[in-house]
Amino acid sequence: MTQHTLEGRSDNEVLWFQRRGFLQAAAAWTSMGGFAAAQAQSRSNVVELVGDATVNGRRLLSQQGVQSGDEIVTGPDSRLVFVIGNSAFHVRQNSRMTVERGASLNAVSLLRLVTGAVVSVWGKGSSRQIVTPTMTAGIRGTGVYTEIFENQGGRSYFCNCYGTVDMSSGNDRTVSRANYHQAFWGEVQPKNGRSLTPAKALNHTDEELEFLAQLVDQRTAWQVLGRKGVKDGKGYMDEKPDQPHPAENLTR
């Protein structure tokens, strides 16, 4: 397993993909045809639910689904893995977020994270955003990790694990192109005049992204390229302007 730095999280939270229950659920989800088949057969798009979660204020049951426009809240020691369209999400414990509707019921235009953390893999699509109290990320086809650190005054953390992301916080703007983990802090108050500052790779692993990508028939950049870089964005490659970024074409 890849090395990961934990800050305020436990091994139990980042190793969820190793557990038998999830492996069985993921295998069943894939073998039954994924999201399109679930929609056609009126089955739930929830791959795994452990513990308690609510959708729009009502307790979520395993046979029920999540759709764009819903507000999701997870309780202590809980986790929720679900798929909408060509995007997959793993919501960690004690999280609150909304998946806002895009052009259709099966398209997410905006993920608004209020508390907690979420790992997400996004297929190609029209402009989508992830919004926290201190930053905004405009995403294309990519895999990312987002967390709000309540013990740091609501400071936001965002890792562009692979892909291209338009980042903004306060008056700061940048375009992140990464094949292997480029991370940022969205500061509550500017530090040395900057609201968007560099961060280490925290609280997530390569394997989490790989499993989520598999649920929507995708691969991560390092799987496509056959190699990994150096975390914290030090190993990501900038391409020539007339060349597509390899992480922008990740379907099988």
Side-chain angles (χ1 to χ4, degrees):
M1 191 193 72
T2 56
Q3 295 293 318
H4 54 275
T5 301
L6 294 179
E7 185 170 325
R9 297 277 171 181
S10 67
D11 277 323
N12 184 60
E13 287 184 86
V14 300
L15 299 181
W16 55 273
F17 58 87
Q18 292 184 343
R19 289 172 173 76
R20 180 179 299 177
F22 170 74
L23 293 174
Q24 292 174 337
W29 172 264
T30 302
S31 66
M32 294 176 70
F35 182 78
Q39 288 294 102
Q41 299 166 17
S42 299
R43 290 187 285 106
S44 172
N45 62 336
V46 172
V47 180
E48 186 186 39
L49 170 61
V50 174
D52 294 322
T54 64
V55 172
N56 302 325
R58 296 184 178 183
R59 185 177 181 182
L60 177 65
L61 303 178
S62 58
Q63 69 270 22
Q64 296 174 328
V66 177
Q67 64 183 26
S68 58
D70 286 344
E71 181 189 58
I72 301 156
V73 178
T74 55
D77 301 319
S78 300
R79 66 178 181 271
L80 174 64
V81 180
F82 65 95
V83 173
I84 297 180
N86 63 356
S87 301
F89 306 87
H90 168 242
V91 189
R92 298 215 197 281
Q93 66 172 335
N94 298 321
S95 298
R96 178 186 295 271
M97 72 178 206
T98 302
V99 283
E100 298 189 10
R101 188 164 300 171
S104 70
L105 184 65
N106 298 328
V108 178
S109 64
L110 187 149
L111 188 157
R112 189 179 303 277
L113 185 65
V114 180
T115 60
V118 58
V119 194
S120 53
V121 167
W122 302 72
K124 288 185 176 181
S126 56
S127 178
R128 279 98 30 104
Q129 291 184 322
I130 296 177
V131 174
T132 76
T134 64
M135 69 166 54
T136 298
I139 60 175
R140 307 171 199 178
T142 184
V144 302
Y145 177 70
T146 315
E147 181 171 354
I148 297 173
F149 283 73
E150 295 293 336
N151 62 350
Q152 297 185 36
R155 192 186 193 197
S156 297
Y157 172 87
F158 183 92
C159 183
N160 176 17
C161 306
Y162 61 89
T164 302
V165 179
D166 300 310
M167 300 292 306
S168 65
S169 180
N171 294 322
D172 290 344
R173 304 285 187 275
T174 192
V175 177
S176 168
R177 292 179 179 269
N179 290 330
Y180 197 67
H181 303 288
Q182 187 177 48
F184 302 86
W185 290 108
E187 304 292 353
V188 179
Q189 297 293 334
K191 288 191 173 184
N192 299 320
R194 301 300 301 271
S195 296
L196 199 61
T197 60
K200 296 180 179 180
L202 301 175
N203 295 346
H204 65 292
T205 69
D206 293 354
E207 290 82 0
E208 291 184 277
L209 276 298
E210 291 168 8
F211 273 102
L212 288 177
Q214 185 176 351
L215 294 178
V216 286
D217 197 28
Q218 298 176 31
R219 293 181 293 164
T220 66
W222 52 88
Q223 289 176 309
V224 171
L225 295 171
R227 66 180 184 275
K228 296 182 179 182
V230 179
K231 284 192 176 183
D232 307 335
K234 297 175 183 177
Y236 84 96
M237 298 181 296
D238 288 326
E239 288 70 41
K240 295 179 181 179
D242 59 346
Q243 293 180 331
H245 191 282
E248 292 179 350
N249 186 17
L250 299 178
T251 55
R252 293 183 185 275

